[in-house]
Amino acid sequence: MPRIAFVMDPISTLSLKKDSTLAMIKAAQARGWPVAYLEQRDIYLDAGQVMADARSLSLVEPFASTLDPADAQQIVSQAGSWYELGDALAEPLSNFDIVMMRKDPPFDMEYVYSTYLLERAEADGVLVANKPQSLRDCNEKFFATNFPQCCPQLVVSRREDVLIDFQRRHRNVVFKRLDGMGGMSVFRVMDGDVNLRVILETLTSGGREQIMGQVYIPEITDGDKRILLIDGEPIDYALARIPMEGELRGNLAAGATGVGRALTERDRWIATEVGPELKARGLLFVGIDVIGDYLTEINVTCPTCIRELDAQFSLDIAGMLLDTLEGKIAS
């Protein structure tokens, strides 16, 4: 029976209504797999070996029986504590069969150092999802540019003249930081916007940091679709995150509403273009973002939307993921 550890944010900070890591923990617990909880600080190198101060983790009834986003908060308020943690036990990280890296961005140097440690465990035979090297290599916005046939017209630069020229040529564009998340620091700029230069100065930190510009895609009003892929294969349904009125950003964290939809032919084509590269890079659980006909981002660090899709279509996406992981360690 596989042992699985989750490297994650402090469990007390997770969203009980929508956190996808909880769905993965529930699926592992339902299989009887021993589950361990780790924060970044709990992983360290000692005498040449990667160690972990691991604590056993279990979800408590009745929360363990249902993770429907519609009633999670009500169940927890009735039940009190919704998880149990054991005492920390120092052991080699190689004692685990699977380690899930589920730490939310920001993707800072501490995140990079964590991937170095996880890479050592990987060398000792642990299946780490997603692959540490690929987490470092695949910036979630820039990585999408590997597939220009799928993307809108875009530019990446720190130079004001290049970015201004892009806006003048395309007139209606979006500028965003390469390290942003949850819709943070996303600006739409149209002709005549007197704030263009100050927006660029702010985003590039005065010309010191690269940013991305993309042509504005008007279909954002119909939703920014999150498509989940397991080992390069897409789930049959996407979650269209529809911006609230007066809002540009299709992010749940920015107040968008999630509506499930079957994949279109174009969605499947994009997934087919991207999927083999994800599989080759060991990116076992990925969320790609599609607006209209265009790929805009490839989320590799901590993809979400499992809970919403499970609830709307009676799926078990986390179970599908664990089946895939179990097959890989068995082979």
Side-chain angles (χ1 to χ4, degrees):
M1 185 177 298
R3 292 188 72 200
I4 186 168
F6 290 85
V7 183
M8 52 197 284
D9 290 291
I11 191 167
S12 61
T13 68
L14 300 187
S15 168
L16 301 177
K17 293 184 66 175
K18 65 180 183 177
D19 192 89
S20 291
T21 303
L22 291 179
M24 298 178 189
I25 294 168
K26 173 179 179 279
Q29 186 171 315
R31 285 164 167 72
W33 294 8
V35 176
Y37 167 83
L38 296 169
E39 297 178 25
Q40 284 178 294
R41 64 183 181 179
D42 296 324
I43 307 171
Y44 56 97
L45 184 71
D46 187 20
Q49 188 168 40
V50 177
M51 301 292 293
D53 287 342
R55 287 179 281 179
S56 62
L57 168 63
S58 60
L59 303 180
V60 176
E61 297 291 352
F63 186 69
S65 298
T66 177
L67 291 178
D68 187 331
D71 58 16
Q73 295 285 14
Q74 180 180 357
I75 288 173
V76 172
S77 65
Q78 293 173 350
S81 178
W82 55 276
Y83 64 89
E84 291 180 350
L85 285 175
D87 295 331
L89 175 65
E91 60 179 314
L93 195 55
S94 59
N95 284 359
F96 293 92
D97 300 289
I98 302 168
V99 173
M100 300 296 300
M101 180 48 161
R102 292 290 300 173
K103 174 69 179 68
D104 269 332
F107 192 93
D108 53 16
M109 285 308 300
E110 281 303 309
Y111 196 107
V112 171
Y113 297 147
S114 293
T115 67
Y116 292 156
L117 292 165
L118 292 173
E119 202 165 33
R120 291 284 189 93
E122 186 181 50
D124 289 335
V126 180
L127 176 61
V128 181
N130 285 321
K131 186 176 180 65
Q133 179 182 343
S134 295
L135 289 174
R136 293 195 301 271
D137 290 348
C138 300
N139 172 272
E140 300 190 321
K141 293 177 177 61
F142 197 86
F143 183 39
T145 68
N146 283 14
F147 309 94
Q149 71 276 24
C150 304
C151 295
Q153 295 187 69
L154 57 83
V155 67
V156 175
S157 179
R158 56 193 276 182
R159 287 173 45 188
E160 185 179 271
D161 61 323
V162 171
L163 297 168
I164 289 177
D165 179 67
F166 179 79
Q167 191 279 325
R168 287 176 175 167
R169 281 186 287 121
H170 298 289
R171 306 183 66 181
N172 191 356
V173 305
V174 171
F175 290 114
K176 53 188 176 181
R177 295 176 59 90
L178 291 176
D179 62 353
M181 61 168 288
M184 293 175 60
S185 300
V186 177
F187 293 87
R188 180 184 178 185
V189 180
M190 294 177 281
D191 278 348
D193 193 327
V194 297
N195 292 308
L196 172 58
R197 290 182 185 276
V198 72
I199 288 170
L200 297 179
E201 289 171 6
T202 300
L203 290 178
T204 65
S205 296
R208 294 189 297 274
E209 297 179 12
Q210 305 275 355
I211 67 168
M212 176 175 283
Q214 288 178 333
V215 171
Y216 175 74
I217 306 168
E219 289 83 359
I220 182 62
T221 57
D222 196 39
D224 181 351
K225 289 181 287 188
R226 167 61 55 84
I227 301 171
L228 297 176
L229 295 94
I230 297 175
D231 202 19
E233 295 296 326
I235 303 301
D236 288 333
Y237 302 92
L239 190 73
R241 296 159 297 172
I242 301 172
M244 62 182 180
E245 186 175 354
E247 179 56 82
L248 160 71
R249 301 167 296 175
N251 302 84
L252 297 179
T257 301
V259 179
R261 293 178 182 157
L263 298 189
T264 66
E265 288 187 14
R266 175 71 176 186
D267 294 337
R268 291 189 181 278
W269 177 79
I270 292 173
T272 300
E273 293 292 297
V274 175
E277 183 68 11
L278 302 179
K279 186 181 181 74
R281 288 177 178 262
L283 293 167
L284 297 173
F285 186 63
V286 171
I288 64 174
D289 291 345
V290 174
I291 303 174
D293 288 336
Y294 298 105
L295 172 71
T296 59
E297 295 187 16
I298 301 177
N299 296 271
V300 303
T301 50
C302 194
T304 60
C305 298
I306 286 179
R307 304 267 295 281
E308 294 86 353
L309 288 171
D310 279 357
Q312 294 186 40
F313 297 105
S314 299
L315 303 174
D316 180 15
I317 296 171
M320 297 165 63
L321 172 62
L322 294 192
D323 286 344
T324 298
L325 298 178
E326 188 172 26
K328 287 188 175 295
I329 62 175
S331 63

